[in-house]
Amino acid sequence: MTNGAGEALACAAFIALAFAVCTVDALSILHDSARGGGSIPVWQPWTTEYTSLAGSIIALPIAIAAARFARSARPSALRIAVVLAASFGFSLLHIGVMVALRALLWRLRGRVYGFDFGGDWLYEYRKDALSFAILFFLLIVAPRLPPWSRRRSPGEAAPLRVSLADGRREIDVDPAELRALRGGGNYVELIFAGNRRRLIRTTLDAAEAALGAHGFRRTHRSWLVRLALVEGIRRTAAGDFRLRLDDQLVVPLSRRSRAVLAELREQLAEPLLL
């Protein structure tokens, strides 16, 4: 599953879970109040719970950014520090939105809502930290799930899958969905149609060995490209080349890649300018 699809799935799962928890909490508060002979307004627990949910939804981008940073190839200590900082930012934004909405709704009912940031923030942060941890876990795990496959019509051939190493495990990708791969050290970024991207832990040499038979060529020490998608080629002032793919992605071609250049010149009868 691509990062974008995984993030969407993770956020949807988190919102559904949070909605269920808020609904149960509101019903429980009303039930306990009625059983104890209390007279809590019916609107109050629903407002309290769903304003908290609204704050969590608005704070989602902070968790998404933290998960993307954590999936990067940056040093572990830096990734941990950024994720911890993001949990505080998530909590502050959640509380700010929640308190602002409650203050507005309480005022509309002729009441005053009070919140002591100095005394109540730590209590709220403990709950927010748990919510952030659950959301962060979903955002990390969901993109690693296998992609959904649609039901094939009778007689339709199954899509070709190629296994690529991703750390200690393997993932299956359809070469037809890949446009290019960009490598750096022990990480490779897969670039799909529509500029969808996924970072995996492997080397570009290993990816080239798996995809070379499917039309992918090494155009640069950091790039592996599906040559059939190249529509234009241009020489740069430094003597190297730039290739334009059919989706406007531009990738480098080293002047030392003579075999690739010859293959492209044969493929492009009249090379297009970028």
Side-chain angles (χ1 to χ4, degrees):
M1 184 175 293
T2 62
N3 286 342
E7 289 171 355
L9 176 62
C11 290
F14 175 78
I15 293 173
L17 177 61
F19 178 82
V21 170
C22 289
T23 301
V24 171
D25 285 349
L27 291 172
S28 298
I29 292 171
L30 291 173
H31 176 76
D32 293 342
S33 175
R35 187 170 60 178
S39 58
I40 183 174
V42 174
W43 61 270
Q44 188 167 318
W46 297 108
T47 302
T48 300
E49 295 298 326
Y50 288 145
T51 51
S52 177
L53 175 61
S56 295
I57 293 174
I58 292 177
L60 285 176
I62 295 178
I64 293 173
R68 289 176 179 174
F69 191 88
R71 290 195 297 264
S72 70
R74 293 177 175 85
S76 298
L78 178 60
R79 285 183 283 168
I80 292 173
V82 168
V83 171
L84 288 175
S87 72
F88 285 101
F90 179 89
S91 180
L92 289 173
L93 182 56
H94 166 253
I95 293 172
V97 171
M98 176 186 73
V99 171
L101 289 175
R102 290 179 184 178
L104 174 62
L105 295 172
W106 257 249
R107 184 174 182 179
L108 291 175
R109 288 187 168 271
R111 302 188 179 197
V112 176
Y113 180 79
F115 184 87
D116 180 10
F117 275 94
D120 295 339
W121 180 80
L122 183 58
Y123 167 78
E124 291 291 338
Y125 176 72
R126 289 198 298 266
K127 297 189 295 181
D128 286 343
L130 177 59
S131 297
F132 180 87
I134 294 173
L135 175 58
F136 183 80
F137 173 79
L138 293 173
L139 288 166
I140 293 296
V141 171
R144 296 177 175 270
L145 296 176
W148 290 311
S149 57
R150 64 179 179 85
R151 185 184 299 274
R152 296 190 299 273
S153 59
E156 181 182 357
L160 177 64
R161 313 299 292 183
V162 172
S163 294
L164 296 177
D166 185 8
R168 296 182 178 179
R169 68 190 190 95
E170 289 188 344
I171 62 169
D172 291 336
V173 297
D174 183 355
E177 296 178 355
L178 274 175
R179 328 304 279 170
L181 300 86
R182 182 171 62 178
N186 292 324
Y187 289 87
V188 169
E189 185 178 45
L190 308 180
I191 304 176
F192 297 90
N195 204 33
R196 295 179 296 111
R197 301 184 181 224
R198 176 173 179 174
L199 189 68
I200 63 174
R201 186 177 178 84
T202 190
T203 64
L204 200 60
D205 288 340
E208 182 179 12
L211 293 166
H214 303 285
F216 287 81
R217 298 289 183 269
R218 193 73 164 263
T219 64
H220 186 271
R221 65 177 181 272
S222 301
W223 283 88
L224 191 63
V225 177
R226 189 172 158 208
L227 288 194
L229 302 179
V230 174
E231 291 189 343
I233 179 172
R234 176 175 61 85
R235 185 187 293 272
T236 67
D240 292 325
F241 299 87
R242 292 292 181 268
L243 307 179
R244 190 192 69 220
L245 276 63
D246 61 352
D247 57 357
Q248 304 304 311
L249 176 68
V250 177
V251 301
L253 172 64
S254 171
R255 59 179 175 269
R256 292 187 293 271
S257 303
R258 298 182 182 277
V260 175
L261 182 59
E263 189 173 345
L264 282 172
R265 283 176 169 164
E266 182 178 346
Q267 172 182 318
L268 302 174
E270 297 182 4
L272 304 176
L273 292 178
L274 293 176

Coordinates of all heavy atoms in Angstrom, one line a residue, residues 1-8 10 63-74 79 83 135-144 166 187-188 197-201:
M1 N 0.8 -1.2 0.0 CA 0.0 0.0 0.0 C 0.9 1.2 0.0 O 1.9 1.3 0.7 CB -0.9 0.0 1.2 CG -1.9 1.1 1.3 SD -3.0 1.0 2.7 CE -4.0 -0.5 2.3
T2 N 0.5 2.2 -0.8 CA 1.3 3.4 -0.9 C 1.2 4.3 0.4 O 0.2 4.1 1.2 CB 0.9 4.3 -2.1 OG1 -0.4 4.7 -1.9 CG2 1.1 3.5 -3.4
N3 N 2.1 5.2 0.6 CA 2.0 6.0 1.9 C 0.7 6.8 1.9 O 0.1 6.9 3.0 CB 3.2 7.0 1.9 CG 4.5 6.3 2.2 OD1 4.5 5.2 2.7 ND2 5.6 6.9 1.9
G4 N 0.3 7.4 0.8 CA -0.9 8.2 0.8 C -2.2 7.3 1.2 O -3.0 7.8 2.0
A5 N -2.3 6.2 0.6 CA -3.4 5.3 0.9 C -3.3 4.8 2.3 O -4.4 4.7 3.0 CB -3.4 4.1 -0.1
G6 N -2.1 4.5 2.8 CA -2.0 4.0 4.1 C -2.3 5.1 5.2 O -3.0 4.8 6.2
E7 N -1.9 6.3 4.9 CA -2.3 7.4 5.8 C -3.8 7.7 5.8 O -4.3 7.9 6.9 CB -1.5 8.7 5.4 CG 0.0 8.6 5.6 CD 0.7 9.8 5.0 OE1 0.1 10.6 4.3 OE2 2.0 9.9 5.2
A8 N -4.4 7.6 4.7 CA -5.9 7.8 4.6 C -6.6 6.7 5.4 O -7.5 7.0 6.2 CB -6.3 7.8 3.2
A10 N -5.3 4.9 7.9 CA -4.9 5.1 9.3 C -5.8 6.2 10.0 O -6.3 6.0 11.1 CB -3.5 5.4 9.5
A63 N 0.4 14.6 13.4 CA 0.7 13.2 13.6 C 1.2 12.7 12.2 O 2.1 11.9 12.2 CB -0.4 12.4 14.1
I64 N 0.5 13.1 11.1 CA 0.9 12.6 9.8 C 2.3 13.1 9.5 O 3.2 12.3 9.0 CB -0.1 13.1 8.7 CG1 -1.4 12.5 9.0 CG2 0.4 12.8 7.3 CD1 -2.5 13.0 8.1
A65 N 2.6 14.3 9.8 CA 4.0 14.9 9.5 C 5.0 14.1 10.3 O 6.1 13.8 9.9 CB 4.0 16.4 9.8
A66 N 4.7 13.8 11.6 CA 5.6 13.1 12.5 C 5.9 11.7 11.9 O 7.0 11.3 12.0 CB 5.1 13.1 13.9
A67 N 4.8 11.0 11.5 CA 5.0 9.7 10.9 C 5.9 9.7 9.7 O 6.7 8.8 9.5 CB 3.7 9.1 10.7
R68 N 5.7 10.7 8.8 CA 6.5 10.8 7.6 C 7.9 11.0 7.9 O 8.8 10.5 7.3 CB 6.0 11.9 6.7 CG 4.6 11.6 6.1 CD 4.1 12.8 5.3 NE 2.8 12.5 4.6 CZ 2.1 13.4 4.0 NH1 2.5 14.7 3.9 NH2 0.9 13.1 3.4
F69 N 8.2 11.9 8.9 CA 9.6 12.1 9.4 C 10.2 10.9 10.0 O 11.3 10.6 9.7 CB 9.6 13.3 10.4 CG 11.0 13.8 10.7 CD1 11.5 14.8 9.9 CD2 11.7 13.3 11.7 CE1 12.8 15.3 10.2 CE2 13.0 13.7 12.0 CZ 13.5 14.8 11.2
A70 N 9.4 10.1 10.7 CA 9.9 8.9 11.4 C 10.2 7.8 10.3 O 11.1 7.0 10.6 CB 8.9 8.4 12.3
R71 N 9.6 7.9 9.2 CA 9.9 6.9 8.1 C 11.1 7.3 7.3 O 11.5 6.5 6.4 CB 8.6 6.7 7.2 CG 7.5 6.0 7.8 CD 6.5 5.6 6.7 NE 5.9 6.7 6.0 CZ 4.7 7.3 6.3 NH1 4.0 6.8 7.3 NH2 4.3 8.3 5.6
S72 N 11.6 8.5 7.5 CA 12.7 8.9 6.7 C 14.0 8.3 7.2 O 14.1 7.5 8.1 CB 12.9 10.5 6.9 OG 13.3 10.8 8.2
A73 N 15.1 8.6 6.5 CA 16.4 8.0 6.8 C 17.2 8.8 7.7 O 18.5 8.6 7.8 CB 17.2 7.7 5.4
R74 N 16.6 9.7 8.4 CA 17.4 10.6 9.4 C 17.8 9.8 10.6 O 17.2 8.7 10.9 CB 16.5 11.8 9.7 CG 16.3 12.7 8.5 CD 15.4 13.9 8.9 NE 15.2 14.8 7.8 CZ 14.4 14.7 6.8 NH1 13.6 13.6 6.8 NH2 14.3 15.5 5.8
R79 N 14.7 11.5 15.0 CA 13.4 11.1 14.7 C 12.6 11.0 16.0 O 11.4 11.4 16.1 CB 13.3 9.8 14.0 CG 13.7 9.9 12.5 CD 13.6 8.6 11.8 NE 14.8 7.7 12.1 CZ 14.8 6.5 11.7 NH1 13.8 5.9 11.1 NH2 15.9 5.8 12.0
V83 N 9.2 13.2 17.0 CA 8.0 12.6 17.4 C 7.5 13.0 18.7 O 6.3 13.3 18.9 CB 8.1 11.0 17.3 CG1 6.9 10.4 17.9 CG2 8.3 10.6 15.9
L135 N -2.6 6.7 17.1 CA -2.6 7.3 15.7 C -1.3 7.1 15.0 O -1.2 6.7 13.8 CB -3.0 8.8 15.8 CG -3.0 9.5 14.4 CD1 -3.9 8.9 13.4 CD2 -3.4 11.0 14.7
F136 N -0.2 7.4 15.7 CA 1.1 7.3 15.2 C 1.4 5.8 14.8 O 2.0 5.5 13.7 CB 2.2 7.7 16.2 CG 3.6 7.7 15.7 CD1 4.1 8.7 14.9 CD2 4.4 6.7 16.0 CE1 5.4 8.7 14.4 CE2 5.7 6.6 15.6 CZ 6.2 7.6 14.8
F137 N 1.0 4.9 15.6 CA 1.2 3.4 15.3 C 0.4 3.1 14.0 O 1.0 2.4 13.1 CB 0.7 2.6 16.5 CG 0.6 1.1 16.2 CD1 1.8 0.4 16.2 CD2 -0.5 0.5 15.8 CE1 1.8 -1.0 15.9 CE2 -0.6 -0.9 15.6 CZ 0.6 -1.6 15.6
L138 N -0.8 3.6 13.9 CA -1.6 3.3 12.7 C -0.9 3.9 11.4 O -0.9 3.3 10.4 CB -3.0 3.8 12.8 CG -3.9 3.2 13.9 CD1 -5.2 3.9 14.1 CD2 -4.2 1.7 13.5
L139 N -0.4 5.1 11.6 CA 0.2 5.8 10.4 C 1.5 5.1 10.0 O 1.9 5.1 8.8 CB 0.5 7.2 10.8 CG -0.7 8.2 10.9 CD1 -0.3 9.5 11.6 CD2 -1.3 8.4 9.5
I140 N 2.2 4.4 10.9 CA 3.4 3.7 10.6 C 3.1 2.3 10.0 O 3.7 1.9 9.0 CB 4.3 3.5 11.8 CG1 4.8 4.9 12.3 CG2 5.5 2.6 11.5 CD1 5.8 5.6 11.3
V141 N 2.1 1.7 10.5 CA 1.8 0.3 10.1 C 1.0 0.3 8.8 O 1.2 -0.6 7.9 CB 1.0 -0.5 11.2 CG1 0.5 -1.8 10.7 CG2 1.9 -0.7 12.4
A142 N 0.0 1.1 8.7 CA -0.9 1.1 7.5 C -0.3 1.1 6.2 O -0.6 0.3 5.3 CB -2.0 2.2 7.6
P143 N 0.7 2.0 5.9 CA 1.4 2.0 4.6 C 2.1 0.7 4.3 O 2.5 0.5 3.1 CB 2.4 3.2 4.7 CG 1.8 4.1 5.8 CD 1.2 3.1 6.8
R144 N 2.4 -0.1 5.3 CA 3.1 -1.4 5.1 C 2.2 -2.5 4.7 O 2.6 -3.6 4.4 CB 4.0 -1.7 6.3 CG 5.1 -0.7 6.6 CD 5.8 -1.1 7.9 NE 7.0 -0.2 8.1 CZ 8.2 -0.4 7.6 NH1 8.5 -1.5 6.9 NH2 9.2 0.4 7.9
D166 N 12.6 -5.0 1.8 CA 12.3 -3.8 2.6 C 12.8 -4.2 4.0 O 12.0 -4.6 4.9 CB 10.8 -3.5 2.6 CG 10.5 -2.2 3.3 OD1 11.5 -1.5 3.7 OD2 9.3 -1.9 3.5
Y187 N 18.5 3.1 1.5 CA 17.1 3.4 1.3 C 16.8 3.7 -0.2 O 17.6 4.3 -0.9 CB 16.6 4.6 2.1 CG 16.5 4.2 3.6 CD1 17.7 4.4 4.4 CD2 15.4 3.8 4.2 CE1 17.6 4.1 5.8 CE2 15.3 3.5 5.5 CZ 16.4 3.6 6.3 OH 16.4 3.3 7.7
V188 N 15.6 3.3 -0.6 CA 15.2 3.6 -2.0 C 13.8 4.1 -2.0 O 12.9 3.6 -1.3 CB 15.2 2.3 -2.9 CG1 14.5 2.5 -4.2 CG2 16.7 1.9 -3.1
R197 N 4.6 8.1 -3.6 CA 6.0 7.7 -3.3 C 5.9 6.8 -2.0 O 5.0 6.9 -1.2 CB 6.9 8.9 -3.0 CG 7.0 9.8 -4.3 CD 8.0 10.9 -4.1 NE 8.0 11.7 -5.3 CZ 9.1 12.1 -5.9 NH1 10.3 11.8 -5.4 NH2 9.0 12.9 -7.0
R198 N 6.9 5.9 -2.0 CA 7.1 5.0 -0.8 C 8.5 4.8 -0.6 O 9.3 4.4 -1.5 CB 6.3 3.7 -1.0 CG 6.5 2.7 0.1 CD 5.7 1.5 0.0 NE 5.9 0.6 1.1 CZ 5.2 -0.5 1.3 NH1 4.2 -0.9 0.5 NH2 5.4 -1.3 2.3
L199 N 9.0 4.9 0.7 CA 10.4 4.7 1.0 C 10.5 3.3 1.6 O 9.8 2.9 2.5 CB 10.8 5.7 2.1 CG 12.3 5.8 2.4 CD1 13.1 6.3 1.2 CD2 12.5 6.6 3.6
I200 N 11.5 2.5 1.1 CA 11.8 1.2 1.6 C 13.2 1.1 1.9 O 14.1 1.8 1.4 CB 11.4 0.1 0.6 CG1 12.2 0.2 -0.7 CG2 9.9 0.1 0.3 CD1 11.9 -0.9 -1.7
R201 N 13.6 0.1 2.8 CA 14.9 -0.1 3.2 C 15.6 -1.2 2.3 O 15.4 -2.4 2.5 CB 15.0 -0.5 4.7 CG 16.4 -0.6 5.2 CD 16.4 -0.9 6.7 NE 17.7 -1.0 7.2 CZ 18.5 0.0 7.6 NH1 18.0 1.2 7.6 NH2 19.7 -0.2 8.1

